[in-house]
Amino acid sequence: MLEVSRLRKVYGADPQAAPAIEEVSFEVADREFLCILGSSGCGKSTLLKCLSGLIPASSGEIRLNGEPVTGPPEDMAFVFQDYSRSLLPWMTVAGNVSFPLRYKGLSKREAQAATDEALDAVSLAGMHKRFPWQLSGGMQQRVAIARALAYRPKILLMDEPFASLDAQTRSGLEDLLLDIWRRFEVTVLFITHDIDEAVYLADRVLVLEAPAKVGLDVTVPLPRPRDQLTTKALPEFAELRGRLFSAIQGAPVAR
Ligand code: ADP
Ligand code: MG
């Protein structure tokens, strides 16, 4: 569904400057849950911004369903780490969720139905009239997820969406996301620096080494549906976690 070939990104005009992304190639299949794992500063956000067409790549190619990506594609939605900056504080929850729908040409009634369904999916039914600042961090991020869902994307790009949340809220949102992924039949590209989160969520994990190049590409052999307690207690979970840890630390690993 998404093909990235030999993507390279150098910020600024100097082509000799150190690249934020050295060279990255990978593919994402339809309905796949792919996690991209890498330490801070290795180029994860840069990669996602290039994939979404928000910033131009320096070279290489990105194709979504065969079409080159040159600007933000119709079928794509994003969720960023910083929900306090991505939600509009002067708009209600419903206003925030329905805001992008005006660019989809939906009637008022259709937009309202999509908003209701999305808020329902993130368990925020009835919160329409609240303002973001009246909600907890976890609830605000659920609003941001609802806004992405209401748009009915085929592919959802998420940049460390749970990194600013406490551990308990975070695991709740991981499970919510898995449920949404299954019900809404979306492809998810999820960026994180958290190994456990990547293994728990993904069908497949890519490890980015700085400056971003793909260091490891592993399939997650864990059964679904997953569960915070039983899945994380499986020996396969521990084994994969160890492998990814070594890869991120730069230790030699069996590829
Ligand atoms: P990550 O999301 O993995 O933490 P980033 O993609 O944000 O990493 O950053 C990768 C590298 O690119 C870093 O060295 C960072 O300083 C640099 N960088 C990020 N954004 C810009 C920018 N707008 N201009 C110049 N350099 C940038
Ligand atoms: Mg980042």
Side-chain angles (χ1 to χ4, degrees):
M1 172 186 211
L2 183 71
E3 296 162 81
V4 180
S5 48
R6 309 194 65 174
L7 178 72
R8 180 179 171 85
K9 176 68 185 176
V10 186
Y11 284 108
D14 178 9
Q16 302 301 317
I21 298 177
E22 195 169 277
E23 193 183 290
V24 168
S25 300
F26 63 93
E27 289 178 12
V28 190
D30 192 23
R31 306 273 317 271
E32 191 170 31
F33 199 125
L34 179 72
C35 278
I36 295 184
L37 181 65
S39 47
S40 182
C42 80
K44 303 184 296 298
S45 294
T46 301
L47 174 63
L48 217 62
K49 286 179 203 157
C50 290
L51 296 185
S52 59
L54 289 172
I55 59 172
S58 303
S59 60
E61 200 179 35
I62 303 156
R63 283 175 177 271
L64 184 63
N65 292 320
E67 295 291 318
V69 173
T70 50
E74 263 284 298
D75 293 340
M76 210 180 244
F78 322 95
V79 177
F80 300 101
Q81 175 179 349
D82 196 351
Y83 46 82
S84 62
R85 283 199 299 173
S86 78
L87 297 178
L88 302 170
W90 62 88
M91 271 189 182
T92 61
V93 163
N96 269 283
V97 172
S98 60
F99 181 66
L101 300 178
R102 63 180 70 177
Y103 302 102
K104 262 204 135 171
L106 298 185
S107 72
K108 205 170 164 191
R109 205 191 184 136
E110 288 167 330
Q112 204 167 1
T115 301
D116 290 348
E117 186 194 26
L119 283 173
D120 218 24
V122 299
S123 308
L124 285 179
M127 294 285 176
H128 292 62
K129 293 205 169 118
R130 300 273 190 110
F131 285 91
W133 42 270
Q134 294 175 311
L135 305 175
S136 69
M139 288 162 93
Q140 288 181 50
Q141 195 57 306
R142 271 146 62 197
V143 176
I145 294 171
R147 180 176 55 189
L149 286 178
Y151 203 73
R152 279 297 189 162
K154 295 219 169 62
I155 181 161
L156 189 56
L157 304 188
M158 308 182 91
D159 190 359
E160 308 205 46
F162 307 147
S164 315
L165 302 170
D166 63 90
Q168 230 167 332
T169 305
R170 185 177 187 148
S171 48
L173 282 190
E174 288 167 4
D175 290 330
L176 178 81
L177 177 61
L178 286 180
D179 182 49
I180 283 170
W181 168 64
R182 192 177 46 78
R183 281 171 48 201
F184 282 70
E185 306 188 333
V186 278
T187 305
V188 177
L189 212 159
F190 186 103
I191 286 194
T192 181
H193 63 262
D194 186 307
I195 299 174
D196 287 40
E197 183 168 72
V199 175
Y200 182 66
L201 293 174
D203 289 324
R204 201 174 126 220
V205 180
L206 291 185
V207 177
L208 282 193
E209 291 169 357
K213 57 184 187 344
V214 177
L216 199 62
D217 181 342
V218 287
T219 301
V220 178
L222 302 170
R224 295 190 190 271
R226 295 184 187 167
D227 172 89
Q228 295 282 352
L229 286 177
T230 48
T231 302
K232 289 183 176 171
L234 293 172
E236 293 87 347
F237 187 94
E239 192 272 329
L240 187 51
R241 182 178 194 273
R243 256 177 91 193
L244 293 172
F245 187 82
S246 309
I248 285 182
Q249 298 297 309
V253 284
R255 296 257 154 105

